[in-house]
Amino acid sequence: MKQFLTASTMGFCGALAILISFSLQLPSWVLFMAWVSYYLFGKSLKSVLYTIIPITSGIIMGIMIKLLGGGLSQYLGILGFSLAVFIFITSLTYLSKIKGLQNIPAWFIGLIIFFGVHPNIEIKPIMIIFISITLGFIFAFLNDTMTTLIQKNKV
């Protein structure tokens, strides 16, 4: 019975997440990237903070790569974007030494999200990304909390 409840809880959380995502026209895959990040990088609110910071930093890096790469491409053609990637990814080695920014995989998740959504660099599209990420962490937390309660037989 516990396994059925656990499976049903996960299914319900996933279905509700998709319903909200589709209703708000959010990129559902971004929500699930955040959800999986919750499980990959530690299932606590503290670890969420230490994951959101480098994911956000990766998104900011993506914005900077797009801006610099676009500018350099006017002079260097297709090499301009590659040079921008080289500059910023190289800097990641040094940035990851800063406390709170050490999670290099989370930086790349931020980059994947940014370049996967391919938003215009405007407030609304960027906010949509962060709403999706936030919902992903919320649903992961709710799912994990409910399944933990089921496993402890408190539900």
Side-chain angles (χ1 to χ4, degrees):
M1 185 63 165
K2 282 184 186 180
Q3 187 171 0
F4 174 75
L5 287 174
T6 300
S8 296
T9 299
M10 185 176 287
F12 175 77
C13 286
L16 185 58
I18 286 297
L19 177 66
I20 291 171
S21 179
F22 285 2
S23 296
L24 298 175
Q25 298 180 345
L26 302 172
S28 55
W29 68 271
V30 172
L31 181 148
F32 287 120
M33 289 290 289
W35 190 321
V36 77
S37 294
Y38 176 86
Y39 285 96
L40 284 174
F41 302 123
K43 302 183 307 182
S44 73
L45 294 179
K46 182 179 179 182
S47 68
V48 166
L49 177 65
Y50 285 112
T51 303
I52 284 180
I53 292 170
I55 287 175
T56 300
S57 300
I59 291 168
I60 293 167
M61 182 179 279
I63 291 168
M64 294 168 65
I65 288 170
K66 187 173 180 180
L67 292 173
L68 181 62
L72 291 174
S73 292
Q74 293 176 358
Y75 303 102
L76 302 173
I78 61 171
L79 292 178
F81 190 79
S82 296
L83 181 57
V85 169
F86 174 80
I87 290 167
F88 284 102
I89 299 299
T90 300
S91 72
L92 183 53
T93 302
Y94 300 99
L95 292 170
S96 68
K97 303 295 182 201
I98 299 169
K99 184 177 178 170
L101 298 178
Q102 300 95 326
N103 190 338
I104 292 176
W107 277 83
F108 279 96
I109 287 174
L111 285 165
I112 290 165
I113 289 170
F114 177 76
F115 286 110
V117 172
H118 198 66
N120 291 327
I121 302 178
E122 299 169 354
I123 297 292
K124 185 179 177 184
I126 302 300
M127 290 307 298
I128 287 171
I129 291 172
F130 284 105
I131 291 167
S132 300
I133 291 169
T134 301
L135 283 173
F137 278 110
I138 289 170
F139 276 104
F141 175 76
L142 290 173
N143 179 70
D144 185 51
T145 301
M146 288 189 288
T147 56
T148 298
L149 288 172
I150 290 167
Q151 293 302 318
K152 289 181 179 179
N153 206 13
K154 292 186 179 183
V155 174

